[in-house]
Amino acid sequence: MSDALMLGLGGLICLIGLIAIRMPIAYAMILVGGIGTAVINGPGLVLSQLKTLAYGQFSIYDLSVVPMFILMGAVASKAGLSQALFRGANAWLGWLRGGTAMAAIAGCAGFGAVCGSSLATASTMGKVALPELRRYKYSGALATGTLAAGGVLGILIPPSVVLIIYAIIVEANIVTMFMAAFLPGLLAVILFLLTIAIYVALRPEAGPRGGTPERAEFVEATLGLIPVLVIFGLVIGGIYAGIFNPTPAAAVGVFLVFAFGLAQGRLSRAHIREALLETASTSGMIYLILLGAELLKIFMSRSGLPQEAALWVANSGLAPMTVMVVLLLALIALGCLMDSLSMILLVIPFFWPVLVEVNGGVYQGAEGSGYGMSTEDLKIWFGILALIVVELGLITPPVGMNVFVISSLAEDIPMGETFKGVAPFFLAELFRVVILLSFPALTLWLPSVLS
């Protein structure tokens, strides 16, 4: 093993160690990437890279969509869209056994389509739906488990910030990734609703029926869904139809959410200020992680570690599908230890070359021998699978970030109960992964039709 390869392996171990002692991942990647590159090629190269790297990385046009979608989600949470979504969904579903929990899932899906963040979806919808679930005396496990699981819908249902970052890393088309995410996202909603139906069929006392709304209340709640449908239709529908690129579409979404909030009288100057500060803080964090990831990628590329790993796996004799399953299991395990964005930025540069090599090398149009698809299709298929298993990390012990968020809102319910409640949704997610692994066409069909 060459000295550079040993250095790359040592750098990877140091990175994991720094993350384990709670150093922010952006700083850990900058430190390891900078020192590693300096050892291999001298400090002059690092200084030369830093001179232009930040500008080159942050000036990528596709990245401009990130703060816009973050701002849209931040304003939406202040403008009361979450209340309108849940109220409308509850008017339609609340009379069913477990219906209020189903309404929470529908609300999470709708808000995720505007917000694009799992943690924000879980937090916002938790504040809205938890009081209603308590009022109808839902079990603590089902109430909190539903909201923790519903939050993961925000990471996949377009627009998704993590999906955008993945597309930039592997040089995929963002619009194509949004198209590919639609059916798997819809499948998640259906499976979650079925999970609740089975849960309350086995334990009827866990999810009592809600009340039937009066006609006037039903109509008012249903009309409250129209702004969300209009915003989603114009933003995502405009992207699918080719009317907008993602960045102009996000700008339209921000304008519409602002207009809705101002028209409803729910956006004060303080709310707008909070939304802007939240957007600046989150965007700054993402951009710093991107810089660290680029420095780390330079170091690892010069050490030859990703290339060596790809060749080793390709020559190992493992079946292509076995390699895919192993990588997805590794993502689930890592998802228990770090947030989704950091994991995508840290792991995908290592995993992606492995899959390309297993698929038979870099193909642009021809089908690779490994997975029977082109590299472009493999980008889409793996990206959706990767985001789904990243979702699983948000509801998996010992970290389970969504579980912590919901537990902070329901302090009287033990965290163990929340993990019990989220377990059936975890199994539903695993079932979804099996379906999408078995039938790649579910992911690839819509992009092939609309592109």
Side-chain angles (χ1 to χ4, degrees):
M1 187 178 288
S2 68
D3 291 341
L5 205 58
M6 285 293 294
L7 185 62
L9 188 59
L12 184 60
I13 293 171
C14 286
L15 179 66
I16 295 170
L18 291 172
I19 294 171
I21 62 173
R22 314 299 292 175
M23 175 181 279
I25 191 167
Y27 301 147
M29 289 193 291
I30 290 172
L31 188 65
V32 172
I35 293 176
T37 305
V39 171
I40 293 176
N41 297 107
L45 178 65
V46 178
L47 295 174
S48 175
Q49 290 282 357
L50 288 175
K51 184 171 62 177
T52 57
L53 187 62
Y55 175 79
Q57 188 71 5
F58 300 159
S59 62
I60 297 173
Y61 177 72
D62 286 346
L63 270 180
S64 62
V65 72
V66 173
M68 296 302 293
F69 275 131
I70 292 172
L71 179 59
M72 187 168 78
V75 176
S77 65
K78 311 291 183 189
L81 277 176
S82 54
Q83 291 94 327
L85 274 167
F86 177 71
R87 191 173 168 219
N90 201 35
W92 282 87
L93 300 170
W95 59 275
L96 295 167
R97 186 173 297 280
T100 305
M102 295 179 185
I105 291 294
C108 286
F111 191 73
V114 177
C115 173
S117 165
S118 289
L119 294 178
T121 300
S123 175
T124 304
M125 291 306 303
K127 293 172 185 173
V128 173
L130 195 57
E132 285 296 298
L133 292 166
R134 289 184 189 277
R135 185 161 75 92
Y136 289 112
K137 303 189 184 308
Y138 275 63
S139 72
L142 179 58
T144 55
T146 296
L147 292 169
V152 305
L153 297 172
I155 199 175
L156 186 60
I157 293 179
S160 164
V161 172
V162 179
L163 195 61
I164 293 167
I165 298 301
Y166 170 84
I168 292 171
I169 292 172
V170 301
E171 298 179 356
N173 184 281
I174 294 174
V175 176
T176 303
M177 293 304 303
F178 280 0
M179 293 176 183
F182 185 78
L183 287 180
L186 185 61
L187 179 61
V189 176
I190 294 170
L191 289 175
F192 281 6
L193 294 178
L194 287 175
T195 299
I196 294 171
I198 294 169
Y199 193 109
V200 297
L202 297 174
R203 296 185 57 193
E205 75 284 357
R209 297 178 188 273
T212 303
E214 298 290 335
R215 181 180 178 84
E217 184 183 350
F218 177 82
V219 171
E220 184 184 353
T222 302
L223 290 175
L225 293 173
I226 292 177
V228 181
L229 295 176
V230 169
I231 293 169
F232 180 78
L234 286 176
V235 174
I236 302 303
I239 291 174
Y240 287 176
I243 299 171
F244 307 121
N245 288 327
T247 299
V252 169
V254 171
F255 173 78
L256 291 174
V257 172
F258 261 111
F260 170 80
L262 292 172
Q264 296 293 314
R266 293 172 179 166
L267 272 184
S268 64
R269 184 177 296 179
H271 285 147
I272 295 173
R273 181 176 181 274
E274 288 171 12
L276 291 172
L277 289 175
E278 181 182 325
T279 301
S281 174
T282 304
S283 301
M285 178 268 293
I286 291 172
Y287 276 49
L288 191 61
I289 293 175
L290 282 168
L291 177 62
E294 190 64 21
L295 273 172
L296 185 68
K297 186 169 75 174
I298 291 169
F299 165 47
M300 289 298 169
S301 177
R302 291 178 178 275
S303 74
L305 186 61
Q307 300 92 317
E308 190 68 25
L311 287 172
W312 181 83
V313 173
N315 297 327
S316 66
L318 292 173
M321 193 57 72
T322 302
V323 174
M324 178 69 79
V325 171
V326 169
L327 295 183
L328 294 178
L329 290 174
L331 283 171
I332 293 175
L334 288 169
C336 301
L337 305 174
M338 64 181 72
D339 68 272
S340 54
L341 177 62
S342 299
M343 186 168 59
I344 289 292
L345 284 165
L346 178 62
V347 173
I348 295 304
F350 289 91
F351 284 8
W352 176 240
V354 171
L355 290 174
V356 172
E357 196 66 37
V358 171
N359 197 44
V362 179
Y363 289 79
Q364 294 303 321
E367 289 189 351
S369 57
Y371 296 101
M373 63 181 71
S374 68
T375 300
E376 293 304 311
D377 284 346
L378 183 60
K379 287 177 184 178
I380 299 168
W381 184 46
F382 175 61
I384 299 305
L385 287 169
L387 259 69
I388 291 172
V389 296
V390 164
E391 290 176 9
L392 288 175
L394 295 171
I395 54 175
T396 307
V399 178
M401 291 297 292
N402 277 12
V403 174
F404 279 87
V405 168
I406 297 301
S407 291
S408 69
L409 300 175
E411 296 179 354
D412 58 318
I413 299 173
M415 192 174 295
E417 284 294 299
T418 304
F419 276 119
K420 286 180 186 177
V422 90
F425 297 98
F426 183 89
L427 295 177
E429 283 286 78
L430 288 181
F431 182 58
R432 180 166 61 133
V433 172
V434 172
I435 291 174
L436 295 177
L437 271 173
S438 304
F439 304 101
L442 286 173
T443 303
L444 301 175
W445 176 75
L446 195 59
S448 68
V449 170
L450 297 179
S451 59

